[in-house]
Amino acid sequence: GLGFEKVEMQFLSDLYLRCPECEGRRYQPHILEIKLEGQSIHDVLEMTGAEALEFFKSNAKVTKSLQLLADVGLDYLRLGQPVNALSGGESQRLKLAGHLAEQRDEGALLIFDEPTTGLHFDDIAGLLKVFQRLVDEGNTLVVVEHNLEVIKSADWVVDIGPDAGDRGGEIVAAGPPEKVARCK
């Protein structure tokens, strides 16, 4: 239809150029001269969430927010990491941490699409605790997931299949995890 014999698409990776003036520090020298316990704003932004949690351990207000990153399994990220460098699961968990940081009314509907992608088993356990906290606060969670730990923690499971693609899209089973596990 477009008059081309072959259409070829190429996607280039993001290109980051280091500013020759600030050498990637993003702040003017007089700002970088300000230090907190020997660390500039640039140094803090280079820390992972876990490192920052230790660095700011005496500041309850800061550690509260950093602990939320740890709770959703993101404490390995650098604080200054660009958002566009996050995976889909990381982006969802970052939004979850933001939701937890705000004092919201209960009764929200939160939808997650495979938030455990790339998470270590221990981080999945932490994420499940956060999910339970949200449910305990009166929220409803809909989680699209293949991880069996998440599935068995659900109140209600809707299994769609029987396979993927053209062989999917039908409700195969629905109910509590124990009931769905007994289905063929």
Side-chain angles (χ1 to χ4, degrees):
L2 295 176
F4 297 101
E5 302 245 344
K6 180 179 177 184
V7 176
E8 184 175 319
M9 296 178 66
Q10 295 183 5
F11 296 94
L12 301 175
S13 59
D14 293 335
L15 178 64
Y16 295 99
L17 299 175
R18 186 175 294 271
C19 171
E21 190 172 324
C22 72
E23 297 178 345
R25 291 187 188 98
R26 302 186 294 196
Y27 295 94
Q28 295 181 8
H30 71 277
I31 299 295
L32 292 170
E33 289 173 8
I34 301 168
K35 307 270 181 166
L36 175 66
E37 296 184 28
Q39 303 295 311
S40 71
I41 183 75
H42 171 74
D43 298 328
V44 170
L45 291 174
E46 288 297 308
M47 292 179 184
T48 65
E51 292 166 342
L53 194 55
E54 176 63 24
F55 181 74
F56 289 105
K57 66 184 172 190
S58 63
N59 186 325
K61 189 173 183 179
V62 174
T63 56
K64 181 179 178 183
S65 296
L66 292 170
Q67 185 59 52
L68 291 173
L69 286 178
D71 290 347
V72 298
L74 292 176
D75 60 343
Y76 62 89
L77 294 177
R78 285 183 307 105
L79 297 184
Q81 185 167 333
V83 174
N84 64 348
L86 301 178
S87 72
E90 289 169 336
S91 294
Q92 289 182 76
R93 292 192 308 276
L94 185 59
K95 288 178 186 176
L96 174 57
H99 176 84
L100 292 169
E102 296 177 9
Q103 296 299 327
R104 296 181 183 239
D105 294 332
E106 62 183 45
L109 171 64
L110 303 166
I111 302 172
F112 298 93
D113 184 12
E114 299 192 37
T116 64
T117 302
L119 279 183
H120 183 273
F121 181 76
D122 293 336
D123 293 323
I124 291 172
L127 183 60
L128 287 172
K129 288 179 185 175
V130 172
F131 282 173
Q132 188 59 55
R133 173 181 158 190
L134 289 166
V135 170
D136 291 345
E137 292 173 356
N139 299 291
T140 300
L141 277 67
V142 174
V143 183
V144 177
E145 188 58 75
H146 294 96
N147 181 285
L148 293 178
E149 290 300 313
V150 174
I151 293 169
K152 76 178 188 182
S153 300
D155 292 327
W156 193 264
V157 174
V158 177
D159 189 6
I160 300 176
D163 290 316
D166 293 339
R167 299 221 351 106
E170 302 291 326
I171 295 178
V172 176
E178 302 80 22
K179 178 185 173 196
V180 171
R182 290 190 302 267
C183 295
K184 292 180 187 180

